[in-house]
Amino acid sequence: MLDIKNIYKTFNPGTVNEKTALRGVSLHLDDGDFVTVIGGNGAGKSTLLNAIAGTWLVDEGTISIGGVDVTKLPEHKRAKYIGRVFQDPMMGTAATMQIEENLALAARRGKARTLRKGITRDERDKYREYLKILDLGLEDRLTAKVGLLSGGQRQALTLLMATLQRPNLLLLDEHTAALDPKTAAKVLDATELVVQRDNLTTLMITHNMKDAIAHGNRLIMMYEGNIVLDISGEEKKKLTVEDLLAKFGQATGSDEADDKLLLG
Amino acid sequence: MNFLQSFVNSMPNAVGQGLIWGVMAIGVYITYKILDIADLTVDGSLTTGGAVCAVLITMGWNPWLALLMAVLSGMLAGLVTGMLHTACGIPAILAGILTQLALYSLNLRIMAIGDDAATKATLALSPDRNDLLLSSRYIRELGLNNPLLLLAVVMVVVIGLLYWFFGTEMGSALRATGANDNMARAQGINTNMTKVLGLVVSNGLVAMSGALLAQYSGSNTIDMGRGAIVIGLAAVIIGEVLLDKVFTNFALKLLSCVIGAIIYYIVITLVLRLGLESTDLKLLTALVVAIFLSVPYWKGKYFSKPVKRGGSVNA
């Protein structure tokens, strides 16, 4: 489903702020893979997701989604294939627009925006049903402005928007990091539910090693712009936090892992 | 008594001016409020609209057709600003200033079309010689030629069209771009295109306002649009401050810009009667806008509860 070959990205090249964030990353995801991504600050996790989403173009290498080469496509054209939830709850929704308007925008992801009605009556009924999955009472507040919702509600709504039209690839960038533990667990449950229901190919960044182990069928760890660990299948199921730390030390030859990873 | 009488006498004119500038204020609302862009093109495109309309009318064109051409000329100006901003990466405010400056030269040329002179700074129109849609001469007459009647119809059509447009898929995409362009792109909206579209629509309205103003006041002058953006902002802000809580429907939000413009002109008429020179008005307008823009900032800074921020430092 996702094929990344040898991508590089350097920010601010030729300046004192030069930073090479991706150093020849290659990654292949099969259809239905749910991959969790961990790594310390500056390891390149978010950069990898942004590279896939097309926030900017990569310096080298190729990215293809479902067989389509998207390496040179701008962000809005890749959106056809990708559903995204950001770390910042403010980023994924339009605060000054209504819940149903946000959903209607998401329902048209990747389609031409015409002069037809922005939202139809049938859609409203459909959205009301969808919102019930979240169990947050949003189904009764279709016309409320999204700005009135809590961070957790906004993230849950963004998740719903990202999957309203089945995406070829779902990108979750620490989407529970800004939430309190209880809300985070609720959003994570909703994520698991939607991913399983639609059998979505998913990349989920998390800073929580336990979550990374508990969710998905595969786990990758990034370090200094590269993937240093890739664990799947039976090995992933039996994985513990201690294992992970030990493996990280072996893979990178560094024992600074503990702090960086746990605090990251 | 004399003062009051003359003030009341000048009311219809204030309303007429307010309605015309209300069209302009709606244009400003689209860029400033919906797209979150301060577009300074309008100082130029208002005059361009007036110039194109006035020239075509003096050449004997049908006034409705002349009005349409004026709108198209404004849209073209908006397109230029939009391309400078999106395709060339120039900050929106500077892109608008560049177009506005270029339009100053162009407007002088446009007004001289069909004349021996190379450039012209004033173009007179008169209901006696020209076929006009409206004229301030008939502002106190009870008849079909009263400009308030036409302006009211224009207003209903403009607000109706915009209400429909911003409810469509394309219009919603435009609103989403202004509300959160990150989200818009993630939903597959070409935000460069929607920004250009917004600037095109906005400047089309501004040029329409200029075309109406030139006919109404009986002349188009090169300085007509100077400071127009501030007047437009004043109307938008006055409308918002007074009616934001009452008018929640989008069509009513647009109407509140028009009401803001009318109130602005009533106040202007009042201070002129009180003895202020008309040349003092720009100072007064700037002060009003500055104060109204500062109030929400001060409110947010000194009278709000701290916002709780969560989450890890970096991803």
mmCIF file with all atom_site columns, all heavy atoms in Angstrom, chain A residues 46 75 87 90-91 93 101 108 113-114 116 118 174, chain B residues 167-170 175 180 183 185 187-189 312 315:
data_model
loop_
_atom_site.group_PDB
_atom_site.id
_atom_site.type_symbol
_atom_site.label_atom_id
_atom_site.label_alt_id
_atom_site.label_comp_id
_atom_site.label_asym_id
_atom_site.label_entity_id
_atom_site.label_seq_id
_atom_site.pdbx_PDB_ins_code
_atom_site.Cartn_x
_atom_site.Cartn_y
_atom_site.Cartn_z
_atom_site.occupancy
_atom_site.B_iso_or_equiv
_atom_site.pdbx_formal_charge
_atom_site.auth_seq_id
_atom_site.auth_comp_id
_atom_site.auth_asym_id
_atom_site.auth_atom_id
_atom_site.pdbx_PDB_model_num
ATOM 1   N N   . SER A 1 46  ? 7.875   12.681 12.881 1.00 0.00 ? 46  SER A N   1
ATOM 2   C CA  . SER A 1 46  ? 6.926   13.604 12.260 1.00 0.00 ? 46  SER A CA  1
ATOM 3   C C   . SER A 1 46  ? 7.372   13.982 10.857 1.00 0.00 ? 46  SER A C   1
ATOM 4   O O   . SER A 1 46  ? 6.541   14.147 9.958  1.00 0.00 ? 46  SER A O   1
ATOM 5   C CB  . SER A 1 46  ? 6.786   14.871 13.097 1.00 0.00 ? 46  SER A CB  1
ATOM 6   O OG  . SER A 1 46  ? 5.996   14.617 14.219 1.00 0.00 ? 46  SER A OG  1
ATOM 7   N N   . GLU A 1 75  ? 0.582   18.707 -1.495 1.00 0.00 ? 75  GLU A N   1
ATOM 8   C CA  . GLU A 1 75  ? -0.194  18.207 -0.361 1.00 0.00 ? 75  GLU A CA  1
ATOM 9   C C   . GLU A 1 75  ? -1.665  17.973 -0.698 1.00 0.00 ? 75  GLU A C   1
ATOM 10  O O   . GLU A 1 75  ? -2.215  16.913 -0.407 1.00 0.00 ? 75  GLU A O   1
ATOM 11  C CB  . GLU A 1 75  ? -0.064  19.235 0.775  1.00 0.00 ? 75  GLU A CB  1
ATOM 12  C CG  . GLU A 1 75  ? -0.501  18.762 2.124  1.00 0.00 ? 75  GLU A CG  1
ATOM 13  C CD  . GLU A 1 75  ? -0.257  19.832 3.179  1.00 0.00 ? 75  GLU A CD  1
ATOM 14  O OE1 . GLU A 1 75  ? 0.201   20.943 2.823  1.00 0.00 ? 75  GLU A OE1 1
ATOM 15  O OE2 . GLU A 1 75  ? -0.526  19.562 4.359  1.00 0.00 ? 75  GLU A OE2 1
ATOM 16  N N   . GLN A 1 87  ? -1.066  16.244 15.817 1.00 0.00 ? 87  GLN A N   1
ATOM 17  C CA  . GLN A 1 87  ? -0.850  16.273 17.260 1.00 0.00 ? 87  GLN A CA  1
ATOM 18  C C   . GLN A 1 87  ? -1.671  17.387 17.911 1.00 0.00 ? 87  GLN A C   1
ATOM 19  O O   . GLN A 1 87  ? -2.288  17.202 18.949 1.00 0.00 ? 87  GLN A O   1
ATOM 20  C CB  . GLN A 1 87  ? 0.638   16.500 17.559 1.00 0.00 ? 87  GLN A CB  1
ATOM 21  C CG  . GLN A 1 87  ? 0.917   16.591 19.041 1.00 0.00 ? 87  GLN A CG  1
ATOM 22  C CD  . GLN A 1 87  ? 2.393   16.777 19.339 1.00 0.00 ? 87  GLN A CD  1
ATOM 23  O OE1 . GLN A 1 87  ? 3.216   16.900 18.439 1.00 0.00 ? 87  GLN A OE1 1
ATOM 24  N NE2 . GLN A 1 87  ? 2.727   16.799 20.602 1.00 0.00 ? 87  GLN A NE2 1
ATOM 25  N N   . MET A 1 90  ? -6.026  21.706 17.397 1.00 0.00 ? 90  MET A N   1
ATOM 26  C CA  . MET A 1 90  ? -6.508  22.870 16.648 1.00 0.00 ? 90  MET A CA  1
ATOM 27  C C   . MET A 1 90  ? -6.286  22.692 15.147 1.00 0.00 ? 90  MET A C   1
ATOM 28  O O   . MET A 1 90  ? -6.892  23.372 14.338 1.00 0.00 ? 90  MET A O   1
ATOM 29  C CB  . MET A 1 90  ? -5.785  24.148 17.088 1.00 0.00 ? 90  MET A CB  1
ATOM 30  C CG  . MET A 1 90  ? -5.873  24.455 18.558 1.00 0.00 ? 90  MET A CG  1
ATOM 31  S SD  . MET A 1 90  ? -7.576  24.661 19.030 1.00 0.00 ? 90  MET A SD  1
ATOM 32  C CE  . MET A 1 90  ? -7.553  23.998 20.684 1.00 0.00 ? 90  MET A CE  1
ATOM 33  N N   . MET A 1 91  ? -5.372  21.819 14.773 1.00 0.00 ? 91  MET A N   1
ATOM 34  C CA  . MET A 1 91  ? -4.918  21.792 13.380 1.00 0.00 ? 91  MET A CA  1
ATOM 35  C C   . MET A 1 91  ? -5.824  21.020 12.419 1.00 0.00 ? 91  MET A C   1
ATOM 36  O O   . MET A 1 91  ? -5.844  21.298 11.228 1.00 0.00 ? 91  MET A O   1
ATOM 37  C CB  . MET A 1 91  ? -3.517  21.211 13.312 1.00 0.00 ? 91  MET A CB  1
ATOM 38  C CG  . MET A 1 91  ? -2.488  22.235 12.889 1.00 0.00 ? 91  MET A CG  1
ATOM 39  S SD  . MET A 1 91  ? -0.855  21.569 13.044 1.00 0.00 ? 91  MET A SD  1
ATOM 40  C CE  . MET A 1 91  ? -0.473  21.243 11.350 1.00 0.00 ? 91  MET A CE  1
ATOM 41  N N   . THR A 1 93  ? -9.210  20.635 12.396 1.00 0.00 ? 93  THR A N   1
ATOM 42  C CA  . THR A 1 93  ? -10.590 21.057 12.176 1.00 0.00 ? 93  THR A CA  1
ATOM 43  C C   . THR A 1 93  ? -10.651 22.579 12.000 1.00 0.00 ? 93  THR A C   1
ATOM 44  O O   . THR A 1 93  ? -9.749  23.286 12.432 1.00 0.00 ? 93  THR A O   1
ATOM 45  C CB  . THR A 1 93  ? -11.475 20.691 13.386 1.00 0.00 ? 93  THR A CB  1
ATOM 46  O OG1 . THR A 1 93  ? -10.771 21.050 14.576 1.00 0.00 ? 93  THR A OG1 1
ATOM 47  C CG2 . THR A 1 93  ? -11.789 19.214 13.422 1.00 0.00 ? 93  THR A CG2 1
ATOM 48  N N   . GLU A 1 101 ? -20.394 20.967 8.931  1.00 0.00 ? 101 GLU A N   1
ATOM 49  C CA  . GLU A 1 101 ? -19.660 21.568 7.808  1.00 0.00 ? 101 GLU A CA  1
ATOM 50  C C   . GLU A 1 101 ? -18.263 20.971 7.700  1.00 0.00 ? 101 GLU A C   1
ATOM 51  O O   . GLU A 1 101 ? -17.761 20.714 6.599  1.00 0.00 ? 101 GLU A O   1
ATOM 52  C CB  . GLU A 1 101 ? -19.556 23.088 7.998  1.00 0.00 ? 101 GLU A CB  1
ATOM 53  C CG  . GLU A 1 101 ? -20.853 23.818 7.747  1.00 0.00 ? 101 GLU A CG  1
ATOM 54  C CD  . GLU A 1 101 ? -20.735 25.315 7.971  1.00 0.00 ? 101 GLU A CD  1
ATOM 55  O OE1 . GLU A 1 101 ? -20.019 25.732 8.921  1.00 0.00 ? 101 GLU A OE1 1
ATOM 56  O OE2 . GLU A 1 101 ? -21.347 26.068 7.224  1.00 0.00 ? 101 GLU A OE2 1
ATOM 57  N N   . ARG A 1 108 ? -15.688 15.276 1.079  1.00 0.00 ? 108 ARG A N   1
ATOM 58  C CA  . ARG A 1 108 ? -15.330 15.613 -0.295 1.00 0.00 ? 108 ARG A CA  1
ATOM 59  C C   . ARG A 1 108 ? -13.822 15.615 -0.509 1.00 0.00 ? 108 ARG A C   1
ATOM 60  O O   . ARG A 1 108 ? -13.328 16.161 -1.491 1.00 0.00 ? 108 ARG A O   1
ATOM 61  C CB  . ARG A 1 108 ? -15.928 16.975 -0.654 1.00 0.00 ? 108 ARG A CB  1
ATOM 62  C CG  . ARG A 1 108 ? -17.427 16.918 -0.844 1.00 0.00 ? 108 ARG A CG  1
ATOM 63  C CD  . ARG A 1 108 ? -18.079 18.288 -0.704 1.00 0.00 ? 108 ARG A CD  1
ATOM 64  N NE  . ARG A 1 108 ? -19.533 18.209 -0.871 1.00 0.00 ? 108 ARG A NE  1
ATOM 65  C CZ  . ARG A 1 108 ? -20.362 17.719 0.044  1.00 0.00 ? 108 ARG A CZ  1
ATOM 66  N NH1 . ARG A 1 108 ? -19.892 17.254 1.191  1.00 0.00 ? 108 ARG A NH1 1
ATOM 67  N NH2 . ARG A 1 108 ? -21.659 17.672 -0.183 1.00 0.00 ? 108 ARG A NH2 1
ATOM 68  N N   . ARG A 1 113 ? -14.280 20.424 -6.020 1.00 0.00 ? 113 ARG A N   1
ATOM 69  C CA  . ARG A 1 113 ? -15.290 21.225 -5.300 1.00 0.00 ? 113 ARG A CA  1
ATOM 70  C C   . ARG A 1 113 ? -16.084 22.004 -6.328 1.00 0.00 ? 113 ARG A C   1
ATOM 71  O O   . ARG A 1 113 ? -15.558 22.886 -6.983 1.00 0.00 ? 113 ARG A O   1
ATOM 72  C CB  . ARG A 1 113 ? -14.624 22.182 -4.314 1.00 0.00 ? 113 ARG A CB  1
ATOM 73  C CG  . ARG A 1 113 ? -13.513 21.564 -3.499 1.00 0.00 ? 113 ARG A CG  1
ATOM 74  C CD  . ARG A 1 113 ? -14.019 20.992 -2.202 1.00 0.00 ? 113 ARG A CD  1
ATOM 75  N NE  . ARG A 1 113 ? -13.008 20.102 -1.626 1.00 0.00 ? 113 ARG A NE  1
ATOM 76  C CZ  . ARG A 1 113 ? -13.073 19.596 -0.416 1.00 0.00 ? 113 ARG A CZ  1
ATOM 77  N NH1 . ARG A 1 113 ? -14.079 19.877 0.369  1.00 0.00 ? 113 ARG A NH1 1
ATOM 78  N NH2 . ARG A 1 113 ? -12.133 18.796 0.038  1.00 0.00 ? 113 ARG A NH2 1
ATOM 79  N N   . THR A 1 114 ? -17.358 21.673 -6.448 1.00 0.00 ? 114 THR A N   1
ATOM 80  C CA  . THR A 1 114 ? -18.188 22.278 -7.484 1.00 0.00 ? 114 THR A CA  1
ATOM 81  C C   . THR A 1 114 ? -19.133 23.312 -6.882 1.00 0.00 ? 114 THR A C   1
ATOM 82  O O   . THR A 1 114 ? -19.010 23.683 -5.721 1.00 0.00 ? 114 THR A O   1
ATOM 83  C CB  . THR A 1 114 ? -19.038 21.199 -8.163 1.00 0.00 ? 114 THR A CB  1
ATOM 84  O OG1 . THR A 1 114 ? -19.963 20.706 -7.187 1.00 0.00 ? 114 THR A OG1 1
ATOM 85  C CG2 . THR A 1 114 ? -18.172 20.061 -8.648 1.00 0.00 ? 114 THR A CG2 1
ATOM 86  N N   . ARG A 1 116 ? -22.203 22.659 -6.455 1.00 0.00 ? 116 ARG A N   1
ATOM 87  C CA  . ARG A 1 116 ? -23.314 21.955 -5.811 1.00 0.00 ? 116 ARG A CA  1
ATOM 88  C C   . ARG A 1 116 ? -23.339 22.318 -4.331 1.00 0.00 ? 116 ARG A C   1
ATOM 89  O O   . ARG A 1 116 ? -22.394 22.854 -3.784 1.00 0.00 ? 116 ARG A O   1
ATOM 90  C CB  . ARG A 1 116 ? -23.143 20.445 -5.982 1.00 0.00 ? 116 ARG A CB  1
ATOM 91  C CG  . ARG A 1 116 ? -23.636 19.940 -7.320 1.00 0.00 ? 116 ARG A CG  1
ATOM 92  C CD  . ARG A 1 116 ? -23.805 18.430 -7.283 1.00 0.00 ? 116 ARG A CD  1
ATOM 93  N NE  . ARG A 1 116 ? -22.515 17.780 -7.185 1.00 0.00 ? 116 ARG A NE  1
ATOM 94  C CZ  . ARG A 1 116 ? -21.801 17.353 -8.224 1.00 0.00 ? 116 ARG A CZ  1
ATOM 95  N NH1 . ARG A 1 116 ? -22.256 17.530 -9.442 1.00 0.00 ? 116 ARG A NH1 1
ATOM 96  N NH2 . ARG A 1 116 ? -20.640 16.755 -8.067 1.00 0.00 ? 116 ARG A NH2 1
ATOM 97  N N   . GLY A 1 118 ? -22.938 22.544 -0.479 1.00 0.00 ? 118 GLY A N   1
ATOM 98  C CA  . GLY A 1 118 ? -21.825 22.127 0.356  1.00 0.00 ? 118 GLY A CA  1
ATOM 99  C C   . GLY A 1 118 ? -22.196 21.010 1.308  1.00 0.00 ? 118 GLY A C   1
ATOM 100 O O   . GLY A 1 118 ? -21.334 20.264 1.769  1.00 0.00 ? 118 GLY A O   1
ATOM 101 N N   . GLU A 1 174 ? 1.035   11.460 16.715 1.00 0.00 ? 174 GLU A N   1
ATOM 102 C CA  . GLU A 1 174 ? 0.877   11.667 18.164 1.00 0.00 ? 174 GLU A CA  1
ATOM 103 C C   . GLU A 1 174 ? -0.464  12.309 18.473 1.00 0.00 ? 174 GLU A C   1
ATOM 104 O O   . GLU A 1 174 ? -0.535  13.299 19.202 1.00 0.00 ? 174 GLU A O   1
ATOM 105 C CB  . GLU A 1 174 ? 2.002   12.568 18.692 1.00 0.00 ? 174 GLU A CB  1
ATOM 106 C CG  . GLU A 1 174 ? 3.363   11.894 18.657 1.00 0.00 ? 174 GLU A CG  1
ATOM 107 C CD  . GLU A 1 174 ? 4.310   12.457 19.708 1.00 0.00 ? 174 GLU A CD  1
ATOM 108 O OE1 . GLU A 1 174 ? 3.876   12.561 20.875 1.00 0.00 ? 174 GLU A OE1 1
ATOM 109 O OE2 . GLU A 1 174 ? 5.446   12.782 19.375 1.00 0.00 ? 174 GLU A OE2 1
ATOM 110 N N   . GLY B 2 167 ? -22.457 28.683 0.381  1.00 0.00 ? 167 GLY B N   1
ATOM 111 C CA  . GLY B 2 167 ? -23.047 27.428 0.823  1.00 0.00 ? 167 GLY B CA  1
ATOM 112 C C   . GLY B 2 167 ? -22.694 26.265 -0.092 1.00 0.00 ? 167 GLY B C   1
ATOM 113 O O   . GLY B 2 167 ? -22.974 25.128 0.220  1.00 0.00 ? 167 GLY B O   1
ATOM 114 N N   . THR B 2 168 ? -22.063 26.572 -1.243 1.00 0.00 ? 168 THR B N   1
ATOM 115 C CA  . THR B 2 168 ? -21.698 25.497 -2.162 1.00 0.00 ? 168 THR B CA  1
ATOM 116 C C   . THR B 2 168 ? -20.404 24.827 -1.709 1.00 0.00 ? 168 THR B C   1
ATOM 117 O O   . THR B 2 168 ? -19.736 25.285 -0.790 1.00 0.00 ? 168 THR B O   1
ATOM 118 C CB  . THR B 2 168 ? -21.474 26.034 -3.590 1.00 0.00 ? 168 THR B CB  1
ATOM 119 O OG1 . THR B 2 168 ? -20.347 26.918 -3.559 1.00 0.00 ? 168 THR B OG1 1
ATOM 120 C CG2 . THR B 2 168 ? -22.693 26.767 -4.103 1.00 0.00 ? 168 THR B CG2 1
ATOM 121 N N   . GLU B 2 169 ? -20.060 23.728 -2.379 1.00 0.00 ? 169 GLU B N   1
ATOM 122 C CA  . GLU B 2 169 ? -18.807 23.026 -2.074 1.00 0.00 ? 169 GLU B CA  1
ATOM 123 C C   . GLU B 2 169 ? -17.618 23.966 -2.224 1.00 0.00 ? 169 GLU B C   1
ATOM 124 O O   . GLU B 2 169 ? -16.723 24.007 -1.377 1.00 0.00 ? 169 GLU B O   1
ATOM 125 C CB  . GLU B 2 169 ? -18.645 21.840 -3.027 1.00 0.00 ? 169 GLU B CB  1
ATOM 126 C CG  . GLU B 2 169 ? -19.667 20.744 -2.783 1.00 0.00 ? 169 GLU B CG  1
ATOM 127 C CD  . GLU B 2 169 ? -19.569 19.611 -3.801 1.00 0.00 ? 169 GLU B CD  1
ATOM 128 O OE1 . GLU B 2 169 ? -18.962 19.806 -4.874 1.00 0.00 ? 169 GLU B OE1 1
ATOM 129 O OE2 . GLU B 2 169 ? -20.114 18.544 -3.519 1.00 0.00 ? 169 GLU B OE2 1
ATOM 130 N N   . MET B 2 170 ? -17.633 24.751 -3.308 1.00 0.00 ? 170 MET B N   1
ATOM 131 C CA  . MET B 2 170 ? -16.525 25.658 -3.565 1.00 0.00 ? 170 MET B CA  1
ATOM 132 C C   . MET B 2 170 ? -16.462 26.756 -2.495 1.00 0.00 ? 170 MET B C   1
ATOM 133 O O   . MET B 2 170 ? -15.401 27.078 -1.976 1.00 0.00 ? 170 MET B O   1
ATOM 134 C CB  . MET B 2 170 ? -16.710 26.282 -4.952 1.00 0.00 ? 170 MET B CB  1
ATOM 135 C CG  . MET B 2 170 ? -15.435 26.677 -5.644 1.00 0.00 ? 170 MET B CG  1
ATOM 136 S SD  . MET B 2 170 ? -15.788 27.543 -7.184 1.00 0.00 ? 170 MET B SD  1
ATOM 137 C CE  . MET B 2 170 ? -16.060 26.184 -8.298 1.00 0.00 ? 170 MET B CE  1
ATOM 138 N N   . ARG B 2 175 ? -14.224 29.091 2.688  1.00 0.00 ? 175 ARG B N   1
ATOM 139 C CA  . ARG B 2 175 ? -14.346 29.404 4.120  1.00 0.00 ? 175 ARG B CA  1
ATOM 140 C C   . ARG B 2 175 ? -13.369 28.573 4.937  1.00 0.00 ? 175 ARG B C   1
ATOM 141 O O   . ARG B 2 175 ? -12.745 29.067 5.880  1.00 0.00 ? 175 ARG B O   1
ATOM 142 C CB  . ARG B 2 175 ? -15.780 29.153 4.586  1.00 0.00 ? 175 ARG B CB  1
ATOM 143 C CG  . ARG B 2 175 ? -16.737 30.258 4.161  1.00 0.00 ? 175 ARG B CG  1
ATOM 144 C CD  . ARG B 2 175 ? -18.095 30.092 4.811  1.00 0.00 ? 175 ARG B CD  1
ATOM 145 N NE  . ARG B 2 175 ? -18.782 28.913 4.323  1.00 0.00 ? 175 ARG B NE  1
ATOM 146 C CZ  . ARG B 2 175 ? -19.502 28.104 5.079  1.00 0.00 ? 175 ARG B CZ  1
ATOM 147 N NH1 . ARG B 2 175 ? -19.621 28.334 6.366  1.00 0.00 ? 175 ARG B NH1 1
ATOM 148 N NH2 . ARG B 2 175 ? -20.098 27.053 4.562  1.00 0.00 ? 175 ARG B NH2 1
ATOM 149 N N   . ASN B 2 180 ? -8.810  27.549 8.557  1.00 0.00 ? 180 ASN B N   1
ATOM 150 C CA  . ASN B 2 180 ? -7.659  26.720 8.915  1.00 0.00 ? 180 ASN B CA  1
ATOM 151 C C   . ASN B 2 180 ? -7.082  26.124 7.645  1.00 0.00 ? 180 ASN B C   1
ATOM 152 O O   . ASN B 2 180 ? -7.564  25.107 7.159  1.00 0.00 ? 180 ASN B O   1
ATOM 153 C CB  . ASN B 2 180 ? -8.108  25.615 9.879  1.00 0.00 ? 180 ASN B CB  1
ATOM 154 C CG  . ASN B 2 180 ? -6.956  24.728 10.325 1.00 0.00 ? 180 ASN B CG  1
ATOM 155 O OD1 . ASN B 2 180 ? -5.853  24.802 9.794  1.00 0.00 ? 180 ASN B OD1 1
ATOM 156 N ND2 . ASN B 2 180 ? -7.222  23.896 11.312 1.00 0.00 ? 180 ASN B ND2 1
ATOM 157 N N   . MET B 2 183 ? -5.896  22.420 7.707  1.00 0.00 ? 183 MET B N   1
ATOM 158 C CA  . MET B 2 183 ? -6.993  21.473 7.620  1.00 0.00 ? 183 MET B CA  1
ATOM 159 C C   . MET B 2 183 ? -7.508  21.418 6.179  1.00 0.00 ? 183 MET B C   1
ATOM 160 O O   . MET B 2 183 ? -7.789  20.346 5.651  1.00 0.00 ? 183 MET B O   1
ATOM 161 C CB  . MET B 2 183 ? -8.087  21.912 8.589  1.00 0.00 ? 183 MET B CB  1
ATOM 162 C CG  . MET B 2 183 ? -9.372  21.156 8.501  1.00 0.00 ? 183 MET B CG  1
ATOM 163 S SD  . MET B 2 183 ? -10.530 21.959 7.379  1.00 0.00 ? 183 MET B SD  1
ATOM 164 C CE  . MET B 2 183 ? -12.011 21.098 7.819  1.00 0.00 ? 183 MET B CE  1
ATOM 165 N N   . ARG B 2 185 ? -5.971  21.959 3.360  1.00 0.00 ? 185 ARG B N   1
ATOM 166 C CA  . ARG B 2 185 ? -5.087  21.183 2.478  1.00 0.00 ? 185 ARG B CA  1
ATOM 167 C C   . ARG B 2 185 ? -5.187  19.697 2.784  1.00 0.00 ? 185 ARG B C   1
ATOM 168 O O   . ARG B 2 185 ? -5.180  18.864 1.875  1.00 0.00 ? 185 ARG B O   1
ATOM 169 C CB  . ARG B 2 185 ? -3.642  21.668 2.604  1.00 0.00 ? 185 ARG B CB  1
ATOM 170 C CG  . ARG B 2 185 ? -3.316  22.859 1.723  1.00 0.00 ? 185 ARG B CG  1
ATOM 171 C CD  . ARG B 2 185 ? -1.826  23.118 1.693  1.00 0.00 ? 185 ARG B CD  1
ATOM 172 N NE  . ARG B 2 185 ? -1.309  23.445 3.010  1.00 0.00 ? 185 ARG B NE  1
ATOM 173 C CZ  . ARG B 2 185 ? -1.326  24.656 3.534  1.00 0.00 ? 185 ARG B CZ  1
ATOM 174 N NH1 . ARG B 2 185 ? -1.807  25.660 2.832  1.00 0.00 ? 185 ARG B NH1 1
ATOM 175 N NH2 . ARG B 2 185 ? -0.860  24.883 4.739  1.00 0.00 ? 185 ARG B NH2 1
ATOM 176 N N   . GLN B 2 187 ? -7.680  18.193 3.619  1.00 0.00 ? 187 GLN B N   1
ATOM 177 C CA  . GLN B 2 187 ? -8.927  17.702 3.031  1.00 0.00 ? 187 GLN B CA  1
ATOM 178 C C   . GLN B 2 187 ? -8.916  17.831 1.512  1.00 0.00 ? 187 GLN B C   1
ATOM 179 O O   . GLN B 2 187 ? -9.954  17.760 0.857  1.00 0.00 ? 187 GLN B O   1
ATOM 180 C CB  . GLN B 2 187 ? -10.138 18.448 3.600  1.00 0.00 ? 187 GLN B CB  1
ATOM 181 C CG  . GLN B 2 187 ? -10.297 18.343 5.103  1.00 0.00 ? 187 GLN B CG  1
ATOM 182 C CD  . GLN B 2 187 ? -10.332 16.913 5.610  1.00 0.00 ? 187 GLN B CD  1
ATOM 183 O OE1 . GLN B 2 187 ? -10.607 15.983 4.870  1.00 0.00 ? 187 GLN B OE1 1
ATOM 184 N NE2 . GLN B 2 187 ? -10.018 16.717 6.882  1.00 0.00 ? 187 GLN B NE2 1
ATOM 185 N N   . GLY B 2 188 ? -7.723  18.081 0.969  1.00 0.00 ? 188 GLY B N   1
ATOM 186 C CA  . GLY B 2 188 ? -7.591  18.091 -0.481 1.00 0.00 ? 188 GLY B CA  1
ATOM 187 C C   . GLY B 2 188 ? -8.013  19.384 -1.153 1.00 0.00 ? 188 GLY B C   1
ATOM 188 O O   . GLY B 2 188 ? -8.262  19.411 -2.347 1.00 0.00 ? 188 GLY B O   1
ATOM 189 N N   . ILE B 2 189 ? -8.101  20.478 -0.382 1.00 0.00 ? 189 ILE B N   1
ATOM 190 C CA  . ILE B 2 189 ? -8.483  21.757 -0.973 1.00 0.00 ? 189 ILE B CA  1
ATOM 191 C C   . ILE B 2 189 ? -7.226  22.477 -1.435 1.00 0.00 ? 189 ILE B C   1
ATOM 192 O O   . ILE B 2 189 ? -6.257  22.599 -0.683 1.00 0.00 ? 189 ILE B O   1
ATOM 193 C CB  . ILE B 2 189 ? -9.247  22.625 0.051  1.00 0.00 ? 189 ILE B CB  1
ATOM 194 C CG1 . ILE B 2 189 ? -10.596 21.990 0.363  1.00 0.00 ? 189 ILE B CG1 1
ATOM 195 C CG2 . ILE B 2 189 ? -9.429  24.050 -0.466 1.00 0.00 ? 189 ILE B CG2 1
ATOM 196 C CD1 . ILE B 2 189 ? -11.276 22.560 1.581  1.00 0.00 ? 189 ILE B CD1 1
ATOM 197 N N   . SER B 2 312 ? 3.174   17.271 24.492 1.00 0.00 ? 312 SER B N   1
ATOM 198 C CA  . SER B 2 312 ? 4.621   17.231 24.588 1.00 0.00 ? 312 SER B CA  1
ATOM 199 C C   . SER B 2 312 ? 5.201   18.360 23.756 1.00 0.00 ? 312 SER B C   1
ATOM 200 O O   . SER B 2 312 ? 4.524   18.950 22.923 1.00 0.00 ? 312 SER B O   1
ATOM 201 C CB  . SER B 2 312 ? 5.139   15.889 24.102 1.00 0.00 ? 312 SER B CB  1
ATOM 202 O OG  . SER B 2 312 ? 4.817   15.749 22.741 1.00 0.00 ? 312 SER B OG  1
ATOM 203 N N   . ALA B 2 315 ? 7.208   16.537 18.364 1.00 0.00 ? 315 ALA B N   1
ATOM 204 C CA  . ALA B 2 315 ? 6.798   15.209 17.924 1.00 0.00 ? 315 ALA B CA  1
ATOM 205 C C   . ALA B 2 315 ? 7.979   14.510 17.253 1.00 0.00 ? 315 ALA B C   1
ATOM 206 O O   . ALA B 2 315 ? 8.758   15.125 16.588 1.00 0.00 ? 315 ALA B O   1
ATOM 207 C CB  . ALA B 2 315 ? 5.650   15.320 16.946 1.00 0.00 ? 315 ALA B CB  1
#
